Amino acid sequence: MGLLALGTALDWPQAKKRANQVRNWGIEQLLANWQRAKGKERDALLWGDEVEYLVVAVDDEAKKARLSLAQAEILKSLAQDEALWKAGTSSGQHDGEEPPHFHPEFGRFMLEATPGRPWGIDFKDLLKVESNMKWRRVVAKSHMAPNEYPITLTTFPRLGTKDDYIRPYYPPSGPALRSQFVPDEIANPHIRFPTLAANIRSRRGRKVELNVPVFKDKNTPQPFKDPTINYNLHNWPEDDDVRNGAAKDDHVYMDAMAFGMGSCCLQITFQAKNMTEGRKLYDQLSPLGPILLALTAATPIYKGFLVDTDVRWNQISNAVDDRTREELGEVPLQNDRWRIPKSRYASNSTYISQDPRLRKEYLDPDLTVDEDIKKRLMDDGMDELLATHFAHLFIRDPLVIFSEDLEKLDLNKADHFENLQSTNWQHMRFKPPPPEKDDIGWRVEFRSMEIQMTDFENAAFSIFIVLITRAILSFNLNFYIPIQRTTENMETAHARNAVLDRKFYFRKDPFSSHSPRRHQHSSNGSAISSAASSACNTPPPSPPLGPVESEYDFMTIEDIVNGSTDGTFPGLIPLVESYLNSVNVDVETRCSLARYLDLIRKRANGTLWTGAKWIREFVTSHSAYKQDSVVSEEICYDLVKAVDEMSVKEGRNGTIGWELLTGPGR
Ligand code: GLU
Ligand code: MG
């Protein structure tokens, strides 16, 4: 989650005064870097996965599971091991692989792990992912107290409840978060994190607001009024929020960044061979974001209640929403520059590939961009599409500014650029090569997936996305739909059991290669004009394009993944299979890959459950559950134990991994 520079962090009133400087310097750094790296060629097709964990401390005597705030100690101990390995004094090897890297995350109860080295193009690498992920879990565990476990639940079920759900215990609330539910100590104490949280709150003018619809069971009070809210606090001005209507009936209410950024996900980053390929991957993977969010759904509990949504996405979005009332459109624009339709954490709003298949109708006509920044970028030769993308990201203010960094602009660094880039948490991220490292190329990050309870599943989803990416490049697949449809799909993915019960917009013909007729983009500076004109000197004779609406359909995930029965869409898995048929993969590798693809196939057709469904069933069939939506301490303890057992059992016998997820009886 971004850089960890040190220094004197400015509070919001101070930071606001320097925001323009940081933005302008960030753009100058971007331009210098883009000039340097735009012609970079032949970078290796590498990829990497990131797995995030909760650290849970289990008290078997009291039958309680609590979050452990031991991140710093665990990371320190892990770093010592890594240093020993680097010095050659410990073997640290596992099947010839380098030891994994561990990183801090927002929650002081979180860890993140990546493979020791990025994965390569070889199919054999795909088969190392699962065992490497399992190894990471073993390594992490070995640096924890005997009763602590790395658990891959997206959220801790009882974060923010009134009981002592953290170890060591700190009562709410502190000056940074001003939450009535969680203490400041819940966040990583590195100055970046409390500053980020405090400046988001301060910029916004009130606390962040997360209202998640409660799951209404037989005995859930109607209307449901979140019983954990205290309306009588007077410690901070922000305590007025609930008196001013921040909490909604029939919703579970939360008021701090930790409720969102304390969630765990599975992210995949690809290095493309050059910028052009990176831009293509960015566009083509974008429509898959919501589909993979629904397929990986694993978040049915917040603050001790079953909720009526299955994924974490909107909660994180609200947890870091720094928009003012003016930007939100709640009051007329007076001091702020524009209305902003989405939070900083949200689905993408731009396409960036100079692809003749990109029709201007796919772009958002109402996209908010900083026109001055766009002009600055274009004046230096950046094409309109890419300039628009960055001028859109740079409508935001930098949130964490260190005064030491404001003395001199260093064009050989990317710190000011990254300040904005890394706090634009969109579901795809386009990453320029870092200026300091010549061996890293243009990268694209796929960010929507939820972490899965077992590493078999985490590996399966990683491998699936990698293979889709290869199929996209190999067959030049076309998944373009209007970008607003992807935004709508992202909402749809939240519904309970969306994976089986909902339909999503998806392109019907992934092989369509129409390029827009020239007259459609030659005038009025449309965003694709430069794209199309540079892409083809002699435009192929193409039939007139039909209306954009005829290009996509409303499909179930089963149609999208396995192919629609009426043949409208071939299916992502069949596309991957054809890709595998088109390349030389030995039988053994092919069979091993089939296990992973089978999980995706069965998840899409309902044979296998999502984590969200499994957790719901676990809770509702628990003997202590009272049909009142409450996930008690006892249920939480049993759930954590079951999830740990599942990941360990699965670790011992990988062949049964996904079968564990067919039902609560297991
Ligand atoms: N944990 C966040 C999520 O669930 C992502 C943080 C990151 O970008 O590393 O999406
Ligand atoms: Mg992370």
Side-chain angles (χ1 to χ4, degrees):
M1 145 135 211
L3 314 168
L4 289 187
L6 260 181
T8 316
L10 303 182
D11 64 11
W12 180 243
Q14 295 306 315
K16 189 180 162 126
K17 291 186 197 140
R18 312 304 290 269
N20 267 334
Q21 179 184 352
V22 172
R23 248 192 310 268
N24 292 337
W25 283 13
I27 287 297
E28 295 310 315
Q29 287 181 332
L30 167 66
L31 271 173
N33 193 27
W34 171 77
Q35 295 288 11
R36 182 189 64 88
K38 66 183 177 194
K40 231 169 159 298
E41 279 292 342
R42 287 190 297 279
D43 285 310
L45 240 178
L46 303 175
W47 68 278
D49 67 87
E50 291 164 58
V51 172
E52 294 173 343
Y53 309 84
L54 304 174
V55 183
V56 179
V58 169
D59 181 342
D60 286 322
E61 239 158 71
K63 291 204 175 307
K64 284 187 182 189
R66 302 181 179 98
L67 284 171
S68 162
L69 303 185
Q71 180 189 66
E73 294 78 20
I74 298 168
L75 282 173
K76 200 168 147 207
S77 163
L78 281 159
Q80 280 162 358
D81 255 25
E82 198 172 327
L84 285 180
W85 182 82
K86 280 201 180 121
T89 45
S90 92
S91 82
Q93 295 272 336
H94 168 86
D95 292 346
E97 290 160 31
E98 283 184 27
H101 295 305
F102 287 86
H103 319 266
E105 252 300 338
F106 179 85
R108 202 166 141 196
F109 49 82
M110 290 168 86
L111 291 179
E112 182 183 294
T114 50
R117 254 176 193 288
W119 305 111
I121 180 96
D122 196 334
F123 286 104
K124 291 264 186 297
D125 271 13
L126 296 176
L127 304 183
K128 294 182 191 159
V129 176
E130 183 184 354
S131 74
N132 188 282
M133 285 177 172
K134 286 176 174 159
W135 182 38
R136 286 179 229 172
R137 218 180 263 270
V138 171
V139 173
K141 169 75 189 123
S142 71
H143 292 267
M144 293 178 184
N147 69 325
E148 289 173 347
Y149 301 90
I151 300 285
T152 44
L153 282 170
T154 53
T155 53
F156 185 70
R158 291 187 60 83
L159 171 67
T161 52
K162 291 214 164 33
D163 43 75
D164 60 340
Y165 62 90
I166 38 174
R167 270 286 183 271
Y169 180 74
Y170 298 92
S173 77
L177 300 179
R178 304 196 184 175
S179 167
Q180 63 159 281
F181 305 112
V182 292
D184 282 0
E185 286 82 359
I186 200 86
N188 183 327
H190 185 290
I191 186 67
R192 175 183 148 81
F193 296 98
T195 307
L196 190 55
N199 286 1
I200 285 173
R201 176 180 47 66
S202 182
R203 186 184 192 287
R204 181 180 159 83
R206 56 200 153 137
K207 284 188 289 186
V208 292
E209 277 172 32
L210 294 76
N211 281 289
V212 194
V214 74
F215 169 72
K216 288 192 183 156
D217 210 340
K218 220 171 67 205
N219 300 328
T220 311
Q222 309 261 9
F224 172 86
K225 292 182 185 289
D226 187 336
T228 63
I229 301 171
N230 185 343
Y231 286 89
N232 300 314
L233 291 171
H234 293 277
N235 300 325
W236 311 105
E238 288 79 2
D239 288 330
D240 284 341
D241 287 3
V242 284
R243 288 183 285 272
N244 293 333
K248 296 200 182 97
D249 276 3
D250 292 324
H251 288 74
V252 178
Y253 165 72
M254 292 164 282
D255 64 352
M257 182 164 168
F259 287 106
M261 281 297 181
S263 324
C264 300
C265 67
L266 171 67
Q267 293 167 334
I268 313 291
T269 300
F270 298 96
Q271 175 168 288
K273 72 168 189 270
N274 54 30
M275 183 171 71
T276 307
E277 188 180 86
R279 291 170 70 166
K280 174 185 263 187
L281 284 180
Y282 178 93
D283 281 13
Q284 295 305 327
L285 287 172
S286 175
L288 300 182
I291 312 303
L292 269 293
L293 178 62
L295 272 168
T296 55
T299 317
I301 306 174
Y302 278 98
K303 222 179 61 171
F305 298 103
L306 282 174
V307 293
D308 210 24
T309 53
D310 267 4
V311 299
R312 76 195 192 293
W313 191 265
N314 280 349
Q315 279 66 261
I316 310 184
S317 185
N318 288 323
V320 293
D321 192 352
D322 69 342
R323 287 174 298 169
T324 63
R325 287 191 192 276
E326 291 183 25
E327 288 166 341
L328 285 161
E330 293 175 7
V331 295
L333 269 182
Q334 260 178 341
N335 303 310
D336 290 321
R337 293 189 289 173
W338 32 55
R339 292 260 158 85
I340 305 182
K342 289 180 184 175
S343 161
R344 303 173 78 110
Y345 184 108
S347 62
N348 289 64
S349 297
T350 57
Y351 285 127
I352 60 172
S353 179
Q354 292 178 300
D355 186 327
R357 302 170 305 178
L358 172 55
R359 297 175 67 171
K360 71 172 186 304
E361 294 93 328
Y362 304 153
L363 300 167
D364 180 356
D366 301 321
L367 187 76
T368 317
V369 291
D370 184 321
E371 293 296 343
D372 294 339
I373 286 181
K374 181 170 162 185
K375 181 168 181 313
R376 172 74 193 99
L377 292 170
M378 290 181 71
D379 282 350
D380 253 32
M382 190 180 282
D383 59 273
E384 187 172 2
L385 267 180
L386 199 57
T388 302
H389 168 73
F390 287 118
H392 167 63
L393 298 187
F394 273 66
I395 60 172
R396 311 286 172 173
D397 278 335
L399 291 167
V400 183
I401 301 178
F402 295 106
S403 55
E404 291 81 354
D405 298 339
L406 296 176
E407 282 150 25
K408 195 171 158 290
L409 169 62
D410 185 346
L411 289 177
N412 293 314
K413 283 171 72 178
D415 53 341
H416 299 295
F417 168 70
E418 283 297 333
N419 191 332
L420 275 301
Q421 158 99 340
S422 71
T423 52
N424 264 283
W425 298 276
Q426 302 190 335
H427 82 275
M428 301 293 310
R429 190 178 279 164
F430 183 57
K431 299 169 139 185
E436 313 86 13
K437 294 204 178 119
D438 215 37
D439 55 336
I440 300 184
W442 292 90
R443 288 148 305 146
V444 169
E445 187 178 18
F446 188 78
R447 302 169 46 85
S448 65
M449 291 191 286
E450 308 234 305
I451 198 69
Q452 305 293 286
M453 290 183 278
T454 70
D455 289 326
F456 177 79
E457 300 162 274
N458 287 315
F461 280 101
S462 307
I463 290 167
F464 176 58
I465 285 295
V466 172
L467 290 175
I468 280 285
T469 305
R470 305 263 166 94
I472 287 170
L473 294 178
S474 176
F475 299 148
N476 198 22
L477 296 176
N478 179 1
F479 292 139
Y480 275 126
I481 52 172
I483 194 106
Q484 300 98 313
R485 297 284 95 82
T486 296
T487 302
E488 289 170 56
N489 282 347
M490 215 67 172
E491 289 305 312
T492 307
H494 284 71
R496 182 157 46 86
N497 217 22
V499 67
L500 299 182
D501 297 348
R502 295 298 168 115
K503 287 189 169 181
F504 295 76
Y505 297 106
F506 211 77
R507 188 179 183 88
K508 289 188 280 195
D509 181 4
F511 299 108
S512 45
S513 58
H514 291 301
S515 41
R517 286 178 300 165
R518 290 186 81 76
H519 73 260
Q520 287 179 308
H521 53 72
S522 54
S523 60
N524 71 25
S526 85
I528 56 166
S529 57
S530 50
S533 53
S534 65
C536 38
N537 294 329
T538 44
S542 41
L545 293 170
V548 161
E549 293 68 32
S550 68
E551 294 178 350
Y552 57 87
D553 224 338
F554 215 30
M555 303 185 202
T556 61
I557 296 232
E558 150 114 84
D559 290 342
I560 296 167
V561 170
N562 295 326
S564 51
T565 34
D566 64 1
T568 313
F569 179 70
L572 298 174
I573 289 280
L575 285 168
V576 163
E577 300 278 4
S578 331
Y579 165 70
L580 289 171
N581 289 338
S582 74
V583 287
N584 252 341
V585 194
D586 61 79
V587 176
E588 205 189 320
T589 307
R590 186 71 194 260
C591 290
S592 306
L593 291 177
R595 279 178 59 237
Y596 298 113
L597 296 179
D598 213 37
L599 167 75
I600 314 293
R601 190 182 283 122
K602 290 182 169 158
R603 184 67 71 82
N605 70 20
T607 315
L608 293 177
W609 293 2
T610 60
K613 169 133 173 140
W614 187 88
I615 294 168
R616 275 181 201 289
E617 292 290 327
F618 186 95
V619 171
T620 52
S621 60
H622 194 285
S623 57
Y625 179 66
K626 301 195 179 73
Q627 280 81 50
D628 56 357
S629 318
V630 174
V631 182
S632 64
E633 280 187 284
E634 181 186 350
I635 301 176
C636 176
Y637 167 80
D638 285 337
L639 175 63
V640 164
K641 290 290 272 189
V643 172
D644 177 59
E645 192 192 313
M646 175 154 58
S647 63
V648 177
K649 205 169 176 182
E650 193 240 5
R652 285 203 206 105
N653 184 356
T655 55
I656 60 165
W658 54 260
E659 288 160 29
L660 292 170
L661 289 167
T662 48
R666 293 185 283 127

